[in-house]
Amino acid sequence: AVEEAADAGGSSDGDKGHAVDNRLLNEVMATGICGNNITSSCLYVIALCADPAGKYAPAALLFICGLLYLFRRIYTEVVAALPVNGGTYNLLLNTTTKGKASVAACLTMLSYVATAVISSSSAMRY
C-alpha cells in the first residue's frame, strides 16, 4: 500500500502506510474560505436575532454592531499580539493566573458545544 501511494504521487509516512497529501491552499482559496466563514457567521446571527426580536431586529442588530465597534481596538490588539488558536485562553494566560485562564478555556469549550447544538437544532428545523 505504501508503494502504491508513492506511485500515485503522494508521499507516505513510512510506518503506517497511509498516503499524505501535502497540497496547500493558494491565496484565493484561503481568502474564499475565510470570507465564507465570516459571511455565514453574520447571516447566522441575523437569523437567530431576528426570530426573538421580531420587528425590533434591526435595532437589536444595530446595538450589537455598536457594541462590537466599541471593542474593535481590543480585538485587533489581541489578534495582533497572539495570532494563534485559543485566543481567549492565550490572552488570559499571559495576563492572569493559569487557573483563571483554564476556567475561561472551559467556558469557551462549553460555548463551542452550545453553538454546535444550536446550529444542528436550527439546521434540523429547516
Side-chain angles (χ1 to χ4, degrees):
V2 174
E3 293 171 359
E4 292 172 5
D7 290 339
S11 62
S12 65
D13 60 0
D15 297 332
K16 296 180 184 175
H18 298 288
V20 177
D21 190 5
N22 290 327
R23 293 180 292 172
L24 299 176
L25 291 175
N26 62 22
E27 186 176 345
V28 173
M29 292 298 290
T31 303
I33 290 171
C34 291
N36 187 24
N37 185 15
I38 292 168
T39 304
S40 65
S41 295
C42 292
L43 294 174
Y44 178 73
V45 168
I46 290 171
L48 288 178
C49 180
D51 187 34
K55 64 181 180 181
Y56 300 110
L61 289 169
L62 282 174
F63 176 74
I64 292 169
C65 289
L67 191 62
L68 290 174
Y69 183 77
L70 294 175
F71 286 97
R72 76 188 183 288
R73 296 198 192 274
I74 295 170
Y75 291 144
T76 303
E77 183 177 339
V78 169
V79 170
L82 303 165
V84 294
N85 291 335
T88 305
Y89 172 73
N90 283 319
L91 173 68
L92 291 174
L93 188 61
N94 288 321
T95 57
T96 63
T97 64
K98 197 172 198 175
K100 289 179 183 178
S102 297
V103 168
C106 291
L107 292 174
T108 301
M109 289 175 54
L110 287 174
S111 173
Y112 290 153
V113 170
T115 301
V117 168
I118 290 170
S119 296
S120 60
S121 172
S122 62
M124 288 179 61
R125 281 187 275 151
Y126 286 133

